[in-house]
Amino acid sequence: MNNDSERTSAAPSIVTGAMSAYPSITPPGALDAALAPLAELSDFEFQGLLFATSKPRSFLLSSKELKGLREQIPSVASNLPFLLSALSFLYSRIDALGEVSEPFDQVIARLVDELDFQMLDAQKKATIQKRLEELLKKNPGFGRFQKILRLQDGFIPNATRFRSMVDLRPDFGESDDSLEYKGVITTIQFRVVTDSSNPSLQEMIFQVNEEVLEDLRKAVDRAQKKIALLKQEPKLAGQILGID
């Protein structure tokens, strides 16, 4: 196949993964607005962003990492989650396409051309393109990180957040005719939020008394001790995978 026919052959769209003569890279929504701050970052700020996202977690930063990056790049602190989400989306779409017939820098150039960066001059658009090439390049550690996440998630709902509330419930006695304040009892309510796609399993609420709360604490302590023992087992040294 000659070079001319290669240039005119259909290219896979980064958004849909489908083949089309004029592939659209731009996803729905204001992706351009999320990426525009890249042009305004100083070289120092950009290097901080690049360093933070070049680790195995890539754009899925921990709360601690996100806080540190916000402090390092205060100019985009409030919009940093949107910027990371936009970068994560584009990375996943490019990664899903696998090997494409055009060079990586041309893929990024198409992306920048299709996004609505009309508010930016040519120099800032060139800055965004160059920085996207660095941010979206293949990160082998991220693939491994995602595999560990999938293994952790399994096929059942995973608890993602916990909340507790302590109630004081008064006792006014047994007689309806002569109410008398006797005192209060304590109860503890827990709300567990999960990542289930089933609405009925996305939130679970239960309550315990102080005795059962102590049993729960002991069960958590025991589970932590089991994990610690496994990590100390010589035969398993280096085999237990984790997420840093």
Side-chain angles (χ1 to χ4, degrees):
M1 183 178 291
N2 59 38
N3 290 335
D4 290 338
S5 61
E6 287 180 355
R7 291 194 185 97
T8 58
S9 61
S13 165
I14 289 179
V15 176
T16 65
M19 304 296 287
S20 61
Y22 298 96
S24 174
I25 299 178
T26 309
L31 185 58
D32 56 319
L35 296 174
L38 286 175
E40 307 299 332
L41 298 179
S42 67
D43 289 340
F44 174 78
E45 290 175 327
F46 174 71
Q47 288 303 317
L49 175 64
L50 181 62
F51 177 77
T53 58
S54 295
K55 299 177 181 179
R57 277 184 173 269
S58 191
F59 308 111
L60 303 179
L61 302 184
S62 66
S63 298
K64 182 179 180 180
E65 290 172 324
L66 188 60
K67 180 182 178 182
L69 195 56
R70 276 174 165 156
E71 293 173 352
Q72 186 175 350
I73 316 177
S75 61
V76 296
S78 59
N79 292 323
L80 189 56
F82 299 105
L83 173 59
L84 293 174
S85 294
L87 292 169
S88 179
F89 171 82
L90 291 173
Y91 182 93
S92 65
R93 296 308 307 140
I94 293 173
D95 188 56
L97 291 177
E99 296 295 328
V100 294
S101 59
E102 59 187 325
F104 178 73
D105 60 340
Q106 291 184 19
V107 173
I108 301 302
R110 284 198 293 120
L111 167 63
V112 174
D113 284 342
E114 291 194 13
L115 288 172
D116 185 16
F117 287 122
Q118 295 181 5
M119 74 294 291
L120 302 179
D121 57 33
Q123 182 178 356
K124 288 186 176 180
K125 286 182 67 174
T127 298
I128 288 181
Q129 181 172 329
K130 179 181 178 182
R131 289 179 171 180
L132 284 176
E133 289 177 11
E134 296 186 66
L135 288 165
L136 299 178
K137 66 182 179 182
K138 189 72 171 179
N139 181 351
F142 185 50
R144 185 60 182 161
F145 171 78
Q146 290 177 305
K147 178 62 180 295
I148 293 174
L149 283 182
R150 289 196 296 272
L151 289 173
Q152 283 189 336
D153 289 348
F155 300 115
I156 60 176
N158 288 269
T160 57
R161 293 198 305 276
F162 301 88
R163 294 288 186 274
S164 65
M165 177 182 294
V166 175
D167 279 345
L168 295 177
R169 297 182 181 175
D171 178 5
F172 294 107
E174 298 295 329
S175 174
D176 292 334
D177 297 327
S178 57
L179 294 178
E180 182 182 357
Y181 175 71
K182 301 291 186 179
V184 295
I185 63 170
T186 59
T187 62
I188 305 94
Q189 296 183 35
F190 280 97
R191 183 175 69 175
V192 183
V193 178
T194 79
D195 59 4
S196 175
S197 58
N198 184 341
S200 66
L201 299 177
Q202 289 175 355
E203 183 177 279
M204 291 177 281
I205 299 176
F206 63 91
Q207 69 179 28
V208 298
N209 57 33
E210 290 185 71
E211 181 180 359
V212 178
L213 180 65
E214 178 61 17
D215 290 340
L216 176 61
R217 186 193 65 78
K218 290 179 180 178
V220 172
D221 287 345
R222 183 172 174 79
Q224 291 178 324
K225 289 177 181 178
K226 289 178 179 179
I227 293 173
L229 284 174
L230 286 174
K231 290 182 176 180
Q232 295 171 7
E233 175 59 41
K235 294 180 181 179
L236 296 178
Q239 296 186 37
I240 297 181
L241 305 175
I243 299 175
D244 297 327

